[in-house]
């Protein structure tokens, strides 16, 4: 099992550790609800160093990325970030990822931890353009400092004006005595904040500096449990639950990251364009339980007459709403009826629910 550079720090803090995507990772420190509310109300810090990072360089980098990714990479200028996915050649998704335009002919792909080897092999297999690829996943640590007080905490540690970094933009700058790290206005919580890309040997130094700077704001470490409840309240997809090799970006509501411009030819372009124009048989939708209960992955979704119309992909009890919330694929035949009244089958009992737009809060 792999360990992040901060593993000893987590253990010293008494974190509950689990195996996740081949890494020993903290699932919680002080309780999922407590950590969730800290991020929504103030600030928390996540170690997400299990994520993967690939450099894509050289004069053929753009051509390669335009082919392999669903979004239009050509619109990126240096310092900008883009959300995208790898279509898998059969209408599904290899992975979703963030793409950083670092400089001319240099990009950074940030992929999901569970898919590092899979994504790397996919990139190598499809690199007929001859882009220069480097798997830097084992060299880089990633911290996410999230919450409405995140900027105030981090501003203590850098002379760079963080308020001048727009959403989905980044800079490289000195931070906490480290000469240069990537400071990115991104995150997976919907609470605002930044993500910091650091070489492993600086990770503990930066973590300790952030925790010290955040003392006045009640900063606490956050585990993967609250990361999941936070992202679900925002309706953000989780690979392996809401999207995978069997789900298309059109079905998943990710048409906005699937660009069909004339000058961009990408894997599955014609298949996904057909889905966009002709429609799909199911769509990913958010829902809120009216009855008391917690929806879980793979629970059946029914209409109010008990007919199965879909499947839950993600679900939890929202710490903010104090209601069960979730997402799932629902048959388009039902959706065309404009009926928002559904049910979720929990232990052979159909709990009433309502289809709703995301984010939930």
């Amino acid at each position: 099992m792999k360990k992040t550079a901060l593993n000893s720090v987590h253990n010293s803090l008494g974190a509950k550790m689990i195996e996740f995507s081949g890494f020993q990772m903290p699932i919680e420190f002080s309780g999922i609800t407590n950590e969730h509310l800290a991020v929504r109300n103030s600030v928390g810090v996540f170690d997400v160093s299990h994520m993967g990072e690939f450099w894509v360089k050289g004069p053929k980098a753009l051509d390669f990325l335009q082919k392999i990714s669903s979004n239009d990479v050509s619109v990126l200028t240096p310092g900008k970030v883009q959300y995208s996915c790898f279509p898998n050649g059969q209408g599904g998704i290899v992975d979703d990822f963030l793409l950083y335009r670092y400089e001319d002919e240099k990009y950074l792909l940030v992929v999901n931890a569970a898919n590092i080897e899979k994504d790397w092999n996919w990139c190598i297999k499809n690199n007929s353009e001859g882009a220069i690829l480097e798997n830097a996943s084992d060299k880089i640590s990633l911290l996410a400092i999230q919450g409405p007080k995140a900027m105030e905490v981090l501003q203590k540690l850098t002379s760079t004006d963080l308020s001048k970094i727009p959403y989905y933009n980044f800079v490289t700058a000195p931070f906490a005595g480290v000469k240069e790290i990537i400071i990115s206005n991104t995150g997976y919580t919907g609470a605002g904040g930044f993500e910091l890309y650091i070489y492993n040997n600086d990770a503990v130094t930066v973590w300790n500096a952030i925790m010290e700077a955040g003392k006045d704001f009640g900063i606490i470490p956050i585990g993967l449990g609250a990361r999941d409840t936070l992202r679900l309240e925002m309706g953000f997809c989780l690979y392996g639950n809401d999207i995978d090799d069997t789900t298309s970006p059109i079905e998943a509501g990710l048409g906005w990251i699937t660009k069909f411009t004339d000058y961009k030819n990408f894997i599955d372009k014609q298949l996904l364009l057909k889905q966009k124009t002709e429609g799909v048989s199911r769509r990913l939708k958010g829902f809120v339980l009216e009855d008391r209960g917690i929806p879980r992955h793979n629970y059946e979704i029914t209409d109010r007459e008990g007919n199965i119309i879909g499947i839950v992909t993600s679900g939890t009890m929202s710490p903010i709403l104090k209601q069960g919330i979730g997402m799932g694929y629902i048959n388009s035949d039902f959706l065309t009826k404009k009926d928002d009244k559904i049910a979720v089958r929990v232990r052979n009992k159909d709990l009433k629910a309502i289809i709703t737009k995301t984010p939930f809060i």
Side-chain angles (χ1 to χ4, degrees), residues 244 246-248 250-252 280-284 311 329-332 335:
D244 58 32
T246 70
T247 63
S248 87
I250 305 302
E251 293 174 330
V280 289
S281 61
R282 59 179 186 169
R283 285 194 177 272
L284 186 65
I311 192 89
Y329 285 95
I330 298 177
N331 297 343
S332 296
L335 295 173

Side-chain angles (χ1 to χ4, degrees), residues 115-180:
N115 293 333
I116 292 173
E117 183 177 2
K118 172 189 175 187
D119 292 353
W120 179 249
N121 290 338
W122 180 254
C123 288
I124 294 294
K125 176 184 176 182
N126 288 282
N127 186 20
S128 56
E129 289 74 19
I132 301 166
L133 305 180
E134 177 192 349
N135 186 349
S137 303
D138 291 337
K139 303 175 183 177
I140 297 175
S141 292
L142 175 56
L143 302 183
I145 300 84
Q146 299 283 293
K149 299 297 183 181
M151 186 182 296
E152 291 179 68
V153 171
L154 298 184
Q155 194 61 74
K156 295 181 178 183
L157 300 171
T158 181
S159 58
T160 298
D161 187 348
L162 299 181
S163 68
K164 298 290 179 61
I165 306 174
Y167 190 48
Y168 265 63
N169 282 250
F170 72 97
V171 300
T172 55
F175 184 89
V178 178
K179 185 177 179 181
E180 187 176 81

Side-chain angles (χ1 to χ4, degrees), residues 68-315:
I68 205 169
S69 64
S70 64
N71 213 332
D72 185 1
V73 183
S74 70
V75 303
L76 284 179
T77 54
K80 291 193 175 294
V81 189
Q82 186 180 76
Y83 178 53
S84 190
C85 73
F86 298 125
N88 72 353
Q90 300 175 322
I93 298 172
V94 177
D95 200 7
D96 62 335
F97 59 88
L98 291 182
L99 180 63
Y100 288 69
R101 174 80 182 272
Y102 199 75
E103 57 188 45
D104 289 343
E105 300 184 0
K106 187 176 181 180
Y107 299 80
L108 181 66
L109 277 166
V110 183
V111 303
N112 285 300
N115 293 333
I116 292 173
E117 183 177 2
K118 172 189 175 187
D119 292 353
W120 179 249
N121 290 338
W122 180 254
C123 288
I124 294 294
K125 176 184 176 182
N126 288 282
N127 186 20
S128 56
E129 289 74 19
I132 301 166
L133 305 180
E134 177 192 349
N135 186 349
S137 303
D138 291 337
K139 303 175 183 177
I140 297 175
S141 292
L142 175 56
L143 302 183
I145 300 84
Q146 299 283 293
K149 299 297 183 181
M151 186 182 296
E152 291 179 68
V153 171
L154 298 184
Q155 194 61 74
K156 295 181 178 183
L157 300 171
T158 181
S159 58
T160 298
D161 187 348
L162 299 181
S163 68
K164 298 290 179 61
I165 306 174
Y167 190 48
Y168 265 63
N169 282 250
F170 72 97
V171 300
T172 55
F175 184 89
V178 178
K179 185 177 179 181
E180 187 176 81
I181 69 171
I182 296 173
I183 305 172
S184 173
N185 186 349
T186 49
Y188 196 45
T189 66
F194 293 83
E195 293 179 301
L196 309 179
Y197 295 82
I198 315 154
Y199 284 116
N200 289 340
N201 56 359
D202 293 318
V204 173
T205 296
V206 173
W207 172 282
N208 289 338
I210 291 168
M211 294 300 288
E212 182 64 28
K215 276 184 177 179
D216 293 343
F217 300 94
I219 194 171
I220 60 172
I222 315 294
L224 295 181
R227 184 171 183 253
D228 191 53
T229 57
L230 288 157
R231 70 91 190 170
L232 186 48
E233 282 187 340
M234 300 310 296
F236 294 152
C237 289
L238 174 65
Y239 194 90
N241 281 45
D242 313 298
I243 52 176
D244 58 32
D245 277 297
T246 70
T247 63
S248 87
I250 305 302
E251 293 174 330
L254 297 177
W256 62 279
I257 65 166
T258 310
K259 302 296 170 60
F260 300 101
T261 51
D262 291 340
Y263 57 82
K264 176 179 166 64
N265 292 310
F266 63 95
I267 294 168
D268 279 344
K269 179 178 181 178
Q270 295 306 317
L271 175 56
L272 296 177
L273 183 58
K274 182 178 181 182
Q275 289 186 356
K276 183 181 179 181
T277 55
E278 297 181 4
V280 289
S281 61
R282 59 179 186 169
R283 285 194 177 272
L284 186 65
K285 294 290 181 180
F287 61 84
V288 176
L289 289 189
E290 294 182 306
D291 291 333
R292 190 72 178 170
I294 303 176
R296 298 294 188 194
H297 181 64
N298 280 339
Y299 282 8
E300 292 171 334
I301 299 173
T302 71
D303 61 19
R304 292 291 175 91
E305 284 72 52
N307 301 302
I308 297 172
I309 58 169
I311 192 89
V312 175
T313 55
S314 289

